[in-house]
Amino acid sequence: DAGITQSPRHKVTETGTPVTLRCHQTENHRYMYWYRQDPGHGLRLIHYSYGVKDTDKGEVSDGYSVSRSKTEDFLLTLESATSSQTSVYFCAISPGQGGTGELFFGEGSRLTVL
Amino acid sequence: RKEVEQDPGPFNVPEGATVAFNCTYSNSASQSFFWYRQDCRKEPKLLMSVYSSGNEDGRFTAQLNRASQYISLLIRDSKLSDSATYLCVVTLRGYKYIFGTGTRLKVLA
């Protein structure tokens, strides 16, 4: 299995509080991704990174920010959590190289915003 | 229109049956194609890549039709352990992975 861990795995928070989810990899892969998964919507890309300090927005980036100060860590921050951000968040990594690389996922972080 | 579309199912089939899923994609510039499997409350995992010439892995066969922009997955001799959600995935520009919403399969004893 790919060395990718997410923390925390479960979190309950209140509306308006900031939340940070961490993704850590030991594979030295270039690309890292944050997805959210909701019933009826499937996996939707929030942000991705193609290198240290290099990030870009996905299709559902509003209300989220990311940072990647080291190859191995990709942080997802909810500036001020809302109930609509209740979801399961998956981090994924890929070596890249023309899209032929497999996408490996972390086990997911289940976030509930009350 | 969604970039990747799948029939959500559920497909309920008896053990031993053959079942096929289709997936359509809208962007003709899509480069790579995959089927992922996701078990309930678990992370998605790669089932197989899909090549233009078609490819087989045991009981699983994947096909790609670029002209019609669809991908298929055929499962022969279904097992109870095949029960899962199957996600169709395409890539754009080499690094952007776009997922379908998934097709749920339930294999019945």
Side-chain angles (χ1 to χ4, degrees):
Chain A
D1 286 347
I4 176 169
T5 54
Q6 293 183 227
S7 59
R9 295 288 315 284
H10 301 272
K11 186 171 181 68
V12 179
T13 191
E14 294 189 348
T15 297
T17 60
V19 175
T20 295
L21 305 179
R22 179 181 184 238
C23 178
H24 178 79
Q25 62 147 330
T26 57
E27 305 295 322
N28 201 35
H29 283 350
R30 179 181 176 189
Y31 289 89
M32 299 186 75
Y33 306 80
W34 277 108
Y35 287 89
R36 62 177 288 176
Q37 187 171 37
D38 305 287
H41 291 280
L43 281 152
R44 292 181 292 173
L45 182 64
I46 304 171
H47 281 278
Y48 66 97
S49 169
Y50 47 96
V52 174
K53 298 193 191 312
D54 292 323
T55 65
D56 206 349
K57 295 178 180 180
E59 60 181 305
V60 290
S61 59
D62 286 349
Y64 301 95
S65 62
V66 290
S67 66
R68 191 169 179 198
S69 58
K70 298 185 289 185
T71 299
E72 57 266 36
D73 289 325
F74 192 33
L75 303 180
L76 176 71
T77 297
L78 288 65
E79 310 288 352
S80 176
T82 68
S83 58
S84 64
Q85 293 176 311
T86 292
S87 187
V88 179
Y89 292 84
F90 286 102
C91 176
I93 62 175
S94 168
Q97 301 301 322
T100 56
E102 178 179 347
L103 199 59
F104 298 94
F105 285 86
E107 293 181 304
S109 296
R110 191 170 295 272
L111 176 67
T112 301
V113 183
L114 302 175
Chain B
R1 182 185 172 189
K2 290 183 179 178
E3 292 188 83
V4 179
E5 295 206 62
Q6 297 182 251
D7 181 342
F11 285 60
N12 296 321
V13 302
E15 269 187 293
T18 296
V19 62
F21 308 136
N22 288 327
C23 162
T24 58
Y25 59 96
S26 60
N27 195 323
S28 59
S30 299
Q31 295 169 300
S32 299
F33 309 88
F34 306 91
W35 284 101
Y36 276 69
R37 171 194 168 125
Q38 186 174 25
D39 294 300
C40 189
R41 301 178 77 85
K42 296 286 190 179
E43 74 273 23
K45 293 187 177 180
L46 179 67
L47 178 67
M48 58 196 303
S49 302
V50 187
Y51 304 114
S52 297
S53 54
N55 49 297
E56 191 173 304
D57 183 0
R59 297 181 294 108
F60 298 85
T61 301
Q63 297 276 356
L64 167 63
N65 185 318
R66 284 189 183 270
S68 301
Q69 296 183 196
Y70 81 80
I71 307 154
S72 65
L73 177 68
L74 182 78
I75 305 175
R76 289 182 299 277
D77 189 21
S78 299
K79 312 290 185 192
L80 293 175
S81 57
D82 293 334
S83 296
T85 297
Y86 291 84
L87 306 172
C88 175
V89 185
V90 305
T91 67
L92 291 173
R93 297 191 296 277
Y95 55 83
K96 189 176 178 186
Y97 293 75
I98 302 171
F99 287 75
T101 53
T103 297
R104 204 150 53 96
L105 171 66
K106 190 166 184 180
V107 181
L108 307 171

